[in-house]
Each structure stands twice: as C-alpha cells, then as structure tokens.
Amino acid sequence: MLRPSLLLLAALLLPAVGRADDGRQMYGKKCLACHALDGSGDKPLGKKVGAPDLRKSTLSQAEVEQVIADGRGKMLPYRGKLTPEQIAEIADWVRTGLRRGAGSAAPASPAP
C-alpha cells in the first residue's frame, strides 16, 4: 500500500512533468523549424533569419515569455495564438530542457 506522503509527492510532481512535456511538444510544433531540436538555431530557416542559439540564452523566464509573446527581430509574435500558459510552458522548456541537453529527445508531432 502506498503511503500518503508518497501520494502527495506524486500529486505535486505530476503537474511539473506534464508542463515540461507540454512545453517540449509545443516547442516542437512552434519553434523547431528555426531553432532546431537542440535549440542551436542550426536549421536552414534558422540560419536565414538569424535565430539565436537558445542554449546560450541568459534571459529570465519572464524575458523569454515576452520574446515568445511579442516576437523579436524576424520572429513573429505568438500573443493571441498561444495562451499565456502555453507561452510559459515553452519558455520553461527553452530555459530548462534545452539547457540540460534534453532537446535531443524528439518532440511529439513536430510541425513541418
């Protein structure tokens, strides 16, 4: 039988895991074409538009969210196309998943 403390821990961790997975999947759908799977920007379109290497970004969570929402340079804004929660999930993936090398796992259903 599971202890109540283990159930509480699992309940607290599941939303965080789900958020990382959602951010990873949305990154695959919205960002992959320019920023590459690993965040390097090493894709033909990414090179053409000057996509930065996201793995080297020093932006805060709020700053990454603002870039996603408002766009920057040749990047189009996603405000109104994604919810604030989705933007936060992608930003979290960019700041944590890509930096720890987790970008090597293929995202689900990447956009063409």
Side-chain angles (χ1 to χ4, degrees), residues 9-76:
L9 179 62
L12 292 173
L13 291 177
L14 284 177
V17 171
R19 180 176 171 155
D21 287 343
D22 290 345
R24 180 179 143 266
Q25 290 175 6
M26 281 185 286
Y27 175 90
K29 293 176 183 176
K30 303 294 183 184
C31 313
L32 183 70
C34 293
H35 289 289
L37 185 60
D38 63 358
S40 67
D42 191 21
K43 298 278 277 186
L45 185 56
K47 290 177 183 179
K48 182 177 180 179
V49 299
D53 186 337
L54 299 176
R55 301 168 300 178
K56 297 178 182 178
S57 174
T58 58
L59 298 177
S60 69
Q61 175 78 17
E63 291 168 324
V64 174
E65 289 178 26
Q66 184 174 1
V67 169
I68 295 168
D70 298 334
R72 179 181 279 181
K74 294 183 181 179
M75 179 180 156
L76 298 175

